[in-house]
Amino acid sequence: MNVRLPLQLAIVLLVVGLPAGAAAGQVAGESKKRVPLDWKRDPKVGSPRAEPVVPTAPELPSELLIVPGGAGPSAEPSRTARPPGQGSDVDGLAMRAGDDMAHEAARLWGWREYWRAGFARGVNVALEDPRLGAWDHEEGMRFGRFDPRARALGDQLANEAAEGTANGDAEARVRQQFMDLSRDPVLDRAGARGRSPQGTVPGLHGPFAVAPIFDEVFVAYPPARTAGLSRDGRRELGDWRFDRSARAYDAQWRDPAFAFSIWRDRQRRGSPWSRWTGAQRDEFRVVFRARFLATLAAIDLRATYGAWRVGFEDGWRYGAAIQAEWAYRQGYAEGFDLGVGETAAIAFPYAYDRAYAAAYPRWFDTWSRSAHPGIGEVRLADESGDGVFEPGERVLVEADVVNYGGGSGAFDLIVSGRDLGPPVTTGVTFAGRSRAPDTERLALRVGDRVPPKTRTPVLVALLDARVETQLYVSRPLDIDGPPAIDADRIGGRVTLTIGVSNTSRRDARAVVSVVSLDGGHDVREDDLGVVPADGRRQATVTFTGIHPLDLIGGTSRWRASVARGDTIDDEREIGIAPVATDLSNPDLLDFMIALANTPQVSWSDVKDARELMMDRLRADWERAVDASGNPYKRDFKSSGTETVLGELVRVTQGGRRSLASPQVFDGLGDDVSVLCDDLPGAHPLLRKWMKKLAKRLG
């Protein structure tokens, strides 16, 4: 443990002024979560050497300019504006009120809105200038790096990492010495010193400080705190809260309806307005509106526009202050993390050496006084001795066990397996640093329902030592590799060649049986006689009378098995690959020609053959899509056989009348035309020539 940690905690207490218990808890918690920072600046550090210069305000955006004749919205649709009349008290008062409110709008309301728009633009310009916060970022890095909490946290993390790492290294060093039974372990100085790892502290991952949040800077630093703001700007900030997400400029100030509502709200009881009739009030409103717009377009607005520049300078100063504070907080958090890492890197080697020096003799004493069993080689044997672990057979387990520790002891050796029934146990007694005498063979039993060709684990346990080995459950005879298939599809004949291996250490008599799964359950057998240990034989069986379409379509299936007497050791299902969609195999077309030359044919055979031919045409379409040019067009013009459809046309054209059963091909052209519309992809020319070629089928 680090004896300097209480002293550093005391330093933290003096700096932050926390009670001892609270500080200890805080630092302990800081190793598990990020540390919230105060963002306090050093009062002894002055401001940057050179104050940033406010840039020149940009030109007023054109959309904020007042264009003569377009100062505000058009007149109300329900009111008909007319020029002011002569000698009317209503008109005269409306003209004077319109003049007064227009000047007030330009002097007060417009000035405020242009100042606010400029202020928002200035803030954004300052925030987009990374140079403004460079000095503050460096200052934050320096102050955060030397934050007392960073030093205390780094030291604590170093001690925690050192204690765990040194303890593991010391235990490994002692284990290495005791695992060699040919020598007597000695508590040597070289082992006690150890070697502290160089480089980074193990398991030390930042960040350690709570990351600053940009929006919190605006909350903590309101615009009124900014130095150098104009007097008018400070007045405007009195009743306005700057919000970056809201639109700063409001064009309502130049709306005559808005000006009229303000004028009307100022009228007291007994004023002319309160005595007028509804018609006079409507007349006043129309004249006021026209006069307000005319006056606002005619007066000199340079002073109003000047608020844009004043607001820009005030906003830029505020944005620069925000930028400086934000950069300072970012630098402070980075410096804090840097300080934690530097302190931990410096403290770790010393803490590691102390922790290792304490852990090494402790582990050496533990290994010297106690037993530490270990498991060496594990050997498995089957009860019959043929080298094959069969379902239902007992498995004999032997294990070499040793005590690496200096103390004696008695322990249970436990052998278990998921598919091997309940665990079995035997007692083992050790002397210090010795191998146990021959241990009892432990027997497990493979479950009767464990299928052959199953790999299942066997676990040998002795106190904390664990060794797992794999047991392969099988039978002596095994069907070796995929069977070879020799097929005459048109003739309906298949020959299957099946390899059989004897994986045991004893000779075994093998009989191979193959049964058809197509409904007839036709069985063929081949007695291989005695297959020698680790030997191999081949069985050959032939099936005839199979329907050609079953072989062409790949629907034929067989089940092959190899048996020793009444016990089936292995079996496998065999299938034949379909060739209907194999464009290089002519069996389907040859069968259809042979079928058409047969006087009497089955309607179901014709139907099945034509469905397979549709599948073949789909495969041929995919090949034509990927090919260059238009193979259907070439077959149409040259009577070629580049496509499957071209082959069909060549076979059927000119010889349809000589066929004994022409219904095999009758109407096939119409079926192909329907198929054309269902084929995938947008290939209009291929589809067009395919349909033309299909018409020749009739």
Side-chain angles (χ1 to χ4, degrees), residues 619-698:
D620 190 54
W621 167 265
E622 294 178 1
R623 181 178 65 175
V625 168
D626 295 334
S628 60
N630 192 330
Y632 296 111
K633 180 179 179 181
R634 292 193 291 268
D635 282 358
F636 181 84
K637 291 191 173 183
S638 63
S639 299
T641 58
E642 186 177 345
T643 64
V644 172
L645 187 56
E647 290 181 280
L648 282 171
V649 171
R650 173 71 66 87
V651 168
T652 57
Q653 265 197 337
R656 184 79 62 87
R657 296 178 180 177
S658 63
L659 296 177
S661 299
Q663 65 267 30
V664 173
F665 296 104
D666 286 346
L668 188 58
D670 295 336
D671 293 345
V672 175
S673 296
V674 173
L675 176 67
C676 282
D677 296 330
D678 294 334
L679 291 173
H683 305 281
L685 294 180
L686 281 178
R687 218 177 299 272
K688 169 186 173 182
W689 287 99
M690 185 177 182
K691 286 186 176 182
K692 283 188 174 183
L693 194 59
K695 289 181 179 180
R696 293 184 177 179
L697 286 175

Side-chain angles (χ1 to χ4, degrees), residues 141-369:
M141 282 277 293
R142 184 187 69 81
F143 200 55
R145 181 181 177 188
F146 294 105
D147 190 310
R149 292 182 298 172
R151 300 294 171 175
L153 179 58
D155 190 73
Q156 179 191 350
L157 294 177
N159 278 273
E160 292 177 354
E163 184 174 353
T165 305
N167 187 68
D169 291 349
E171 197 274 341
R173 168 66 175 164
V174 171
R175 177 186 294 273
Q176 181 183 14
Q177 293 177 269
F178 277 82
M179 292 293 284
D180 186 1
L181 291 179
S182 64
R183 55 164 290 186
D184 292 329
V186 178
L187 186 64
D188 57 358
R189 294 182 178 179
R193 285 197 301 269
R195 292 183 178 180
S196 60
Q198 301 297 318
T200 59
V201 180
L204 187 69
H205 303 290
F208 307 102
V210 174
I213 300 176
F214 188 55
D215 289 341
E216 290 183 355
V217 179
F218 285 90
V219 177
Y221 203 98
R225 290 183 56 186
T226 308
L229 291 182
S230 65
R231 183 177 60 184
D232 293 331
R234 290 191 178 277
R235 183 187 68 245
E236 294 296 335
L237 288 171
D239 58 353
W240 179 63
R241 180 180 175 274
F242 174 65
D243 185 357
R244 293 180 63 229
S245 61
R247 180 178 177 87
Y249 177 79
D250 187 356
Q252 184 179 234
W253 71 274
R254 51 182 180 173
D255 184 357
F258 174 71
F260 175 77
S261 65
I262 294 180
W263 179 90
R264 183 186 57 198
D265 292 342
R266 294 175 180 175
Q267 305 308 303
R268 300 179 179 273
R269 180 179 299 179
S271 64
W273 173 263
S274 64
R275 298 192 302 268
W276 288 339
T277 64
Q280 290 175 316
R281 290 184 178 186
D282 290 342
E283 181 181 355
F284 180 92
R285 185 183 293 108
V286 172
V287 175
F288 177 94
R289 180 185 185 87
R291 189 65 174 184
F292 178 88
L293 293 175
T295 304
L296 191 60
I299 60 178
D300 187 358
L301 294 175
R302 285 179 296 179
T304 304
Y305 292 156
W308 164 269
R309 176 187 56 79
V310 177
F312 178 85
E313 294 176 358
D314 289 341
W316 189 91
R317 288 189 175 91
Y318 177 60
I322 292 293
Q323 181 78 301
E325 181 65 18
W326 171 242
Y328 178 81
R329 294 189 179 194
Q330 288 182 303
Y332 197 107
E334 294 171 12
F336 187 91
D337 292 344
L338 180 62
V340 172
E342 289 177 343
T343 302
I346 294 172
F348 180 77
Y350 302 99
Y352 178 90
D353 292 343
R354 289 193 302 273
Y356 189 93
Y360 178 80
R362 183 176 67 253
W363 279 111
F364 194 93
D365 182 70
T366 300
W367 277 75
S368 299
R369 294 176 178 273

Side-chain angles (χ1 to χ4, degrees), residues 314-497:
D314 289 341
W316 189 91
R317 288 189 175 91
Y318 177 60
I322 292 293
Q323 181 78 301
E325 181 65 18
W326 171 242
Y328 178 81
R329 294 189 179 194
Q330 288 182 303
Y332 197 107
E334 294 171 12
F336 187 91
D337 292 344
L338 180 62
V340 172
E342 289 177 343
T343 302
I346 294 172
F348 180 77
Y350 302 99
Y352 178 90
D353 292 343
R354 289 193 302 273
Y356 189 93
Y360 178 80
R362 183 176 67 253
W363 279 111
F364 194 93
D365 182 70
T366 300
W367 277 75
S368 299
R369 294 176 178 273
S370 60
H372 286 266
I375 303 173
E377 182 184 4
V378 175
R379 294 175 293 277
L380 305 179
D382 65 296
E383 187 177 22
S384 64
D386 63 355
V388 178
F389 299 93
E390 299 187 51
E393 187 177 12
R394 291 209 311 165
V395 179
L396 306 179
V397 183
E398 285 184 314
D400 295 334
V401 292
V402 62
N403 178 16
Y404 297 106
S408 60
F411 305 93
D412 288 336
L413 179 67
I414 305 172
V415 180
S416 60
R418 183 180 60 237
D419 299 314
L420 304 176
V424 292
T425 304
T426 186
V428 179
T429 301
F430 290 108
R433 296 191 56 72
S434 65
R435 296 184 182 276
D438 293 340
T439 58
E440 176 188 356
R441 265 190 173 187
L442 299 178
L444 299 171
R445 184 177 181 276
V446 181
D448 295 328
R449 296 184 178 181
V450 178
K453 300 183 180 181
T454 297
R455 293 190 181 275
T456 186
V458 178
L459 179 64
V460 181
L462 183 65
L463 195 59
D464 294 333
R466 299 284 190 278
V467 173
E468 184 180 286
T469 186
Q470 293 294 320
L471 176 71
Y472 183 65
V473 180
S474 64
R475 298 284 189 182
L477 298 178
D478 182 55
I479 296 178
D480 186 13
I485 302 176
D486 180 22
D488 178 5
R489 293 176 173 81
I490 304 299
R493 179 188 57 81
V494 171
T495 299
L496 305 176
T497 303

